[in-house]
Amino acid sequence: MSAAATPFGLVPAYHPSGIIRPTAYTITSGYATGILSNQPVKIVPSSTGEGTIAAAAVGDRSIGTFLGVSYVDANGVFTFANKWTASTTGTNITAFVTLDPAIVYNIQADDTLTVADIGKQYDMNTASGSTTTGLSTISLDVASVSVTNAMYRVIGLTPGPDNAWGDAYPIVQVQISEHQNVASIAAY
């Protein structure tokens, strides 16, 4: 039974083809917001940093989840990290993110869900996590259920012991229903 709230972000579970391929993007040197592993990201649409990625906020359209970054720091040292520390400066910045809209993700809900919630859409809770471990702790915001569109569509329960519909904090499988590269998919 998922009785403990231990959110772990938006973790890629599988792709129907059997292969999840990270895509390389960049982050603007000095970007002032931290990005943690398994945190949703978006492509920056503004003229400042256009084409780079940034942390997605609640309700944003996104492309996937952040998997890590490599860069050459201000001292000329090549660095690979599972997080982007706010205001880091460097060169040759390569951020690895999921991109394919068919990817299925695991995420913990912040309240009870039932099998009747398959097809419904929800936003995430405010982005948070640990800068020590570099891991996101976002969860599915059950109170944000939408009859039209929201960030994620529940497609099933994540298989595993002690995880069932009706649990206090079930772990569910979702797809991005408001993907930046695809038209929004309406709730069932």
Side-chain angles (χ1 to χ4, degrees):
M1 173 173 171
S2 297
T6 54
F8 46 79
L10 188 66
V11 178
Y14 69 89
H15 184 278
S17 71
I19 301 171
I20 296 174
R21 291 183 177 94
T23 302
Y25 280 92
T26 192
I27 301 172
T28 301
S29 180
Y31 175 60
T33 302
I35 308 174
L36 302 171
S37 186
N38 303 324
Q39 181 175 342
V41 292
K42 63 183 179 180
I43 298 172
V44 178
S46 67
S47 60
T48 309
E50 188 170 339
T52 62
I53 64 155
V58 174
D60 282 350
R61 293 176 63 88
S62 64
I63 58 168
T65 190
F66 182 79
L67 301 175
V69 64
S70 66
Y71 58 94
V72 177
D73 71 15
N75 297 319
V77 177
F78 177 80
T79 303
F80 182 84
N82 68 339
K83 65 181 177 185
W84 173 262
T85 302
S87 303
T88 296
T89 59
T91 59
N92 299 325
I93 302 167
T94 303
F96 302 98
V97 301
T98 58
L99 175 65
D100 194 315
I103 294 173
V104 174
Y105 299 87
N106 290 327
I107 188 169
Q108 186 172 42
D110 68 355
D111 203 351
T112 300
L113 291 171
T114 68
V115 71
D117 293 315
I118 292 176
K120 293 181 181 176
Q121 295 185 19
Y122 304 87
D123 283 331
M124 67 177 180
N125 283 312
T126 303
S128 62
S130 169
T131 55
T132 302
T133 65
L135 300 175
S136 171
T137 58
I138 67 151
S139 61
L140 196 69
D141 182 7
V142 174
S144 71
V145 65
S146 175
V147 295
T148 54
N149 290 100
M151 296 176 82
Y152 307 109
R153 181 180 61 262
V154 172
I155 63 169
L157 186 70
T158 300
D162 300 326
N163 190 45
W165 294 114
D167 285 352
Y169 305 100
I171 299 169
V172 294
Q173 294 182 333
V174 299
Q175 283 184 311
I176 298 173
S177 54
E178 291 185 316
H179 198 285
Q180 277 186 292
N181 295 342
V182 180
S184 293
I185 300 168
Y188 294 170

